[in-house]
Amino acid sequence: MAKIVNIETATTNCSVSISVDGKIVSVKEENTPSYSHSEQLHLFIEEALKEASFSFSDVNAIAVSKGPGSYTGLRIGVSAAKGLCFSLDLPLISVPTLESMAMQLQIESDEAIIPVLDARRMEVYSCVFDGFHNEIRETKAEVIDENSFEEFKGYKKVHIIGSGAEKCEKTLSHSNFIYHKEAFPSSKEMASLAQKKYEANDFEDVAYFEPYYLKDFILQTKKA
């Protein structure tokens, strides 16, 4: 049995789950605007393992949400995952954040899912998946305007999910677009994706792996 620790810190949600053969057996998460990741993450890992009646010696791999998302959040999650992999001599699995978000919705074959994470101003990180959760358009950082996602309006329904959905709803007028504004990335949806990668021996190089930021980090400084 493959026991995997799944870590999601790409947004305000600090989330840890333990999965066995792709099935969730315990979850610890807290979604707060103040980003409690640095204080909570390792505690959540320990609590999730305890709830699953496992110890670190039982774990077969560490999976981490690789982005895109918050620069600071991703750094915290990936650093923790790499530290565990080094100390426990475990393989590292990376899971695309937007792909795991898409797994929250089970839709019809003639529908589409567009996970969107809020970025700066009118910008979002987005990707597009079909009704079978296959990626049909690559991940982008894009500014939302009235023509955004125009090429997908022919689907019966288009589900826009995530923290960027509110920006989209205010700008887009397509009648078949459905907005899931309260959704956020969680480690719960990472389990099946991490399991597939584990079975395929699709692991990252722990020493060199970096989060998928998509855009360069811009340091915000106070004006004098």
Side-chain angles (χ1 to χ4, degrees):
M1 292 191 298
K3 303 178 183 71
I4 299 176
V5 176
N6 305 287
I7 298 171
E8 169 57 72
T9 59
T11 64
T12 53
N13 189 36
C14 182
S15 179
V16 176
S17 67
I18 310 299
S19 58
V20 178
D21 291 342
K23 305 296 184 183
I24 295 293
V25 295
S26 68
V27 180
K28 293 290 180 181
E29 62 182 4
E30 183 177 359
N31 186 21
T32 60
S34 58
Y35 281 91
S36 61
H37 305 2
S38 59
E39 296 84 11
Q40 299 279 40
L41 181 55
H42 286 283
L43 177 62
F44 283 3
I45 294 170
E46 293 175 2
E47 290 180 347
L49 284 169
K50 184 178 180 180
E51 185 176 291
S53 299
F54 296 151
S55 66
F56 282 113
S57 62
D58 297 313
V59 176
N60 299 109
I62 306 295
V64 67
S65 180
K66 74 173 186 177
S70 157
Y71 181 92
T72 302
L74 290 171
R75 291 299 297 178
I76 292 171
V78 169
S79 295
K82 291 173 71 170
L84 289 171
C85 289
F86 274 123
S87 62
L88 301 172
D89 192 25
L90 293 174
L92 175 65
I93 299 169
S94 70
V95 176
T97 305
L98 297 178
E99 183 177 4
S100 67
M101 275 197 72
M103 298 297 290
Q104 294 184 22
L105 299 178
Q106 302 301 315
I107 62 173
E108 301 297 327
S109 59
D110 54 356
E111 299 177 4
I113 305 171
I114 306 180
V116 286
L117 291 180
D118 191 14
R120 289 186 293 272
R121 300 182 180 89
M122 281 303 293
E123 197 168 26
V124 299
Y125 302 122
S126 69
C127 192
V128 184
F129 298 86
D130 65 17
F132 302 99
H133 297 103
N134 298 310
E135 182 181 309
I136 57 175
R137 200 219 68 190
E138 76 281 8
T139 299
K140 294 181 180 180
E142 57 187 317
V143 175
I144 297 299
D145 60 31
E146 63 274 10
N147 298 313
S148 294
F149 312 126
E150 180 81 12
E151 64 269 40
F152 303 105
K153 68 178 184 179
Y155 282 83
K156 181 180 178 182
K157 294 179 182 177
V158 177
H159 299 266
I160 298 184
I161 178 173
S163 60
E166 186 171 357
K167 287 181 181 178
C168 295
E169 186 178 30
K170 290 178 179 179
T171 305
L172 305 179
S173 59
H174 306 313
S175 60
N176 60 329
F177 280 23
I178 300 171
Y179 300 92
H180 306 262
K181 294 178 286 187
E182 303 303 318
F184 48 83
S186 170
S187 63
K188 292 178 286 188
E189 285 73 41
M190 293 176 61
S192 61
L193 300 174
Q195 180 67 23
K196 288 180 182 178
K197 285 198 167 188
Y198 181 83
E199 292 173 355
N201 291 316
D202 185 0
F203 304 132
E204 302 292 343
D205 186 317
V206 178
Y208 295 101
F209 176 72
E210 291 291 333
Y212 178 43
Y213 295 121
L214 193 57
K215 297 196 304 182
D216 293 334
F217 175 63
I218 299 176
L219 180 64
Q220 301 293 330
T221 57
K222 292 182 178 180
K223 295 181 179 180

